Amino acid sequence: MHLKFKQLIATLALVITTSSLQGGVRDVQIKKVHFSSGIVTLVNLGSTTQSLSNYQLCTADENQVLIYSIFGFGSKSILAGGEFFIHFNNDAPIASDSINVSSIGSVATPLDRG
């Protein structure tokens, strides 16, 4: 695996902000990082819909400390076996499975390989 890609994955993480989650803590995971389109894809590996209200995105760039998204994902959720898309270019469609990164608060940008 490319070293810069490993560094990015180490600094892009979903953070659970409370322990009162339903379902498995590891059901929601980062599936893909699409550098060319600026989209990070989350996946729900569980058998029930998972609320994203208790999650934050934690990012870092080579010149920044860890940055936690302030607002989280609000009332968004991921269906069982479904995907959710975070748009770093703020071009998300109006859909329940997508959100613009600017809606969740500060993050390290741009989405790149370092």
Side-chain angles (χ1 to χ4, degrees):
M1 185 181 285
H2 191 270
L3 178 61
K4 294 288 186 179
F5 184 72
K6 282 184 181 179
Q7 290 172 340
L8 174 88
I9 294 303
T11 57
L12 177 67
L14 281 174
V15 178
I16 302 166
T17 57
T18 181
S19 60
S20 62
L21 295 174
Q22 296 179 347
V25 171
R26 295 188 180 112
D27 286 349
V28 177
Q29 297 181 11
I30 296 172
K31 179 179 179 181
K32 291 181 185 175
V33 178
H34 305 269
F35 293 105
S36 59
S37 63
I39 297 173
V40 173
T41 304
L42 308 181
V43 64
N44 177 0
L45 301 173
S47 59
T48 60
T49 297
Q50 293 293 311
S51 169
L52 294 175
S53 63
N54 294 318
Y55 285 84
Q56 289 178 294
L57 192 64
C58 176
T59 58
D61 208 344
E62 63 232 13
N63 299 322
Q64 295 178 322
V65 296
L66 295 178
I67 300 173
Y68 293 87
S69 57
I70 297 169
F71 305 116
F73 295 90
S75 62
K76 299 284 188 173
S77 60
I78 305 178
L79 298 174
E83 295 181 335
F84 187 84
F85 308 95
I86 305 168
H87 291 252
F88 274 70
N89 294 332
N90 291 306
D91 56 357
I94 298 173
S96 61
D97 65 350
S98 297
I99 195 166
N100 286 318
V101 76
S102 62
S103 298
I104 63 174
S106 297
V107 295
T109 57
L111 181 61
D112 59 21
R113 292 183 171 95

